Amino acid sequence: MNQATSHRPWRIAAAVVLIGLGLVLAPSLAVLAFLAGATLTASMPLLTAAALIVLAAVAWTLTWTAGRLAFPARRRLTAAVLALALTAAAGAAAATTLFRPLDIDLPAGTPAGEYWDLPTGSRIAYDHVPAAGEARNQTVVRLHGGPGTPGDGPDDLDRALAASGFDVYVYDQAGSGRSERLDPADYTVARQVADLEAIRGEIGADRLVLIGGSWGGTLAAAYAAAHPDHVDRLVFTSPGALWAPEWEGQDEGDLWDRLTPEQNREMTEFESSGGVRLLTWSLLMEDNPAAARALIPDAEIDAVFARLLSIVGSATSCEPGGAIDIPDAVPGFYANQLIAADQLRTPDPRPALAGLDAPALVLRGECDYKRWEITREYRDAIPGAELVYFEGAGHSIETDRPDLYIDTVTAFLTGAELPLPAYTGDADPAA
């Protein structure tokens, strides 16, 4: 028996090992090539091509070597067939996992209203509730929270203010609701402030009454710091952090901490249903949001966001897990994530707010998940600002105490006596 024949079993074993290694190593390196390439480009065709080329090259190299060991006369054909088979299998797997859209529907959404095409480049959807009866020549602009989570258009507060003589505008911030989505790089606090200033120009109002809820309060403060001469009055409802860098790395209060076990279970089940597609998307979001958006476009990820909000929505109230109405408006996930990240790079608005002469009202609910110090800072940062505390209300005061909320905001804007006394203490009233 010659030497080649005597070593044939060992050659076959080594070939099997190499082929097995190829089955593991080739897809792994292809995934790494896909993710590494995403730091340079957002093109899914280019990233996919790069991954398949790496996959085929590694598979061909290992199987060619395996063929040389075990089947010298047919090694090239064996390598080509195995590499082609592995590449085809990986492509099929990617098509049915990574590139298969999630099985989820968008909320119904609110009917299309009117639009502003702003000089900033934003196309903004809005609703106008004109003043009824004797007009006050004061313009109210509502700023929704999130970022990226608009309401369903005009509500009872808007109609009550219009009945009191105010001209009221409600708009969907860029990247959310009915407004057009932006490129990921354009989701900044500065862009939202610029949009609001452009909206003031579209309305033709010299000064605005701003009512901001949650993140909308943060936006109202940023606008007032940038354009103090164009602010008439300010209402901050359950506002977010006045200056996010101050809270970086600290516990500022998290909605997710208030979830019930049932909500946590539902969240886990929903997130796991996204499989490879959502996992890859989350990795892309870390390095290149534009690539993440190319993988999962706005409509699909907004549907995911809407589903998450429907699960956790009740955590904003004093009774987490209870029933709560969720707006039909389509939320904007990329706006939510990228504006929130940009907040950590914004300048401190407090020095400018210290010289603001516009009256300000800060509203806080007893069960607000945000830290008390965040709310109190608005009162302390703006000269003459008043803080009103609502018992039996959570982060969404207008949901938990709607009548009292409307009466309080209306009284403040019309100069009437507030139905609740202002809270002047430094300690959390709920403590």
Side-chain angles (χ1 to χ4, degrees), residues 199-225:
I199 287 170
R200 184 188 66 80
E202 292 285 336
I203 293 172
D206 182 54
R207 295 163 70 88
L208 300 175
V209 176
L210 299 178
I211 302 176
S214 195
W215 141 258
T218 306
L219 175 56
Y223 179 85

Side-chain angles (χ1 to χ4, degrees), residues 69-142:
L69 287 171
F71 311 105
R74 293 170 288 178
R75 57 180 177 267
R76 290 185 178 85
L77 177 60
T78 302
V81 170
L82 290 176
L84 180 61
L86 183 57
T87 304
T96 58
T97 56
L98 180 61
F99 295 113
R100 182 179 181 180
L102 300 171
D103 185 16
I104 187 169
D105 296 323
L106 271 175
T110 52
E114 299 180 87
Y115 285 85
W116 289 306
D117 289 306
L118 303 180
T120 60
S122 299
R123 181 169 171 78
I124 299 295
Y126 73 95
D127 292 287
H128 178 209
V129 187
E134 185 177 350
R136 293 175 175 270
N137 294 320
Q138 288 178 288
T139 301
V140 173
V141 176
R142 299 286 302 278

Side-chain angles (χ1 to χ4, degrees), residues 77-254:
L77 177 60
T78 302
V81 170
L82 290 176
L84 180 61
L86 183 57
T87 304
T96 58
T97 56
L98 180 61
F99 295 113
R100 182 179 181 180
L102 300 171
D103 185 16
I104 187 169
D105 296 323
L106 271 175
T110 52
E114 299 180 87
Y115 285 85
W116 289 306
D117 289 306
L118 303 180
T120 60
S122 299
R123 181 169 171 78
I124 299 295
Y126 73 95
D127 292 287
H128 178 209
V129 187
E134 185 177 350
R136 293 175 175 270
N137 294 320
Q138 288 178 288
T139 301
V140 173
V141 176
R142 299 286 302 278
L143 304 177
H144 66 72
T149 56
D152 286 328
D155 59 16
D156 290 342
L157 174 61
D158 302 316
R159 288 181 280 271
L161 293 177
S164 297
F166 294 94
D167 221 22
V168 182
Y169 288 87
V170 182
Y171 76 95
D172 297 343
Q173 295 159 26
S176 63
R178 303 158 299 172
S179 293
E180 285 190 354
R181 274 43 179 169
L182 305 176
D183 290 333
D186 293 330
Y187 287 123
T188 64
V189 176
R191 174 62 171 266
Q192 298 294 328
V193 170
D195 280 350
L196 182 51
E197 173 62 2
I199 287 170
R200 184 188 66 80
E202 292 285 336
I203 293 172
D206 182 54
R207 295 163 70 88
L208 300 175
V209 176
L210 299 178
I211 302 176
S214 195
W215 141 258
T218 306
L219 175 56
Y223 179 85
H227 304 283
D229 294 338
H230 294 306
V231 176
D232 189 348
R233 286 174 177 257
L234 293 161
V235 177
F236 303 100
T237 304
S238 308
L242 184 57
W243 187 50
E246 181 183 22
W247 291 92
E248 188 173 10
Q250 300 184 59
D251 176 21
E252 61 178 274
D254 197 330

Side-chain angles (χ1 to χ4, degrees), residues 240-419:
L242 184 57
W243 187 50
E246 181 183 22
W247 291 92
E248 188 173 10
Q250 300 184 59
D251 176 21
E252 61 178 274
D254 197 330
L255 179 67
W256 313 108
D257 294 337
R258 290 176 52 82
L259 301 187
T260 65
E262 176 63 21
Q263 287 173 313
N264 274 313
R265 182 192 63 77
E266 197 172 351
M267 282 279 292
T268 300
E269 290 178 354
F270 176 71
E271 290 172 348
S272 63
S273 69
V276 172
R277 186 166 173 81
L278 275 184
L279 175 60
T280 305
W281 169 85
S282 65
L283 294 173
L284 294 177
M285 279 292 290
E286 295 293 328
D287 294 322
N288 187 353
R293 186 190 185 210
L295 177 64
I296 301 186
D298 290 290
E300 185 180 348
I301 201 63
D302 289 350
V304 172
F305 193 25
R307 176 63 180 138
L308 293 176
L309 292 175
S310 72
I311 294 173
V312 307
S314 65
T316 62
S317 71
C318 280
E319 296 182 7
I324 189 171
D325 291 331
I326 302 296
D328 286 330
V330 179
F333 187 85
Y334 290 116
N336 176 272
Q337 294 292 293
L338 299 174
I339 293 173
D342 183 67
Q343 284 184 264
L344 296 173
R345 300 184 288 270
T346 57
D348 189 348
R350 292 173 295 186
L353 294 176
L356 191 68
D357 62 0
L361 179 67
V362 185
L363 308 178
R364 179 180 177 85
E366 175 186 6
C367 309
D368 194 345
Y369 63 86
K370 289 293 184 182
R371 287 276 295 272
W372 157 251
E373 292 83 0
I374 287 177
T375 307
R376 188 188 66 194
E377 187 170 33
Y378 280 80
R379 181 198 66 186
D380 297 343
I382 300 174
E386 294 184 288
L387 190 155
V388 173
Y389 180 81
F390 290 74
E391 294 181 353
H395 190 68
S396 182
I397 301 172
E398 57 270 42
T399 299
D400 295 332
R401 302 294 303 273
D403 293 338
L404 185 57
Y405 175 73
I406 291 172
D407 290 345
T408 301
V409 174
T410 303
F412 173 72
L413 296 187
T414 58
E417 182 178 354
L418 298 178

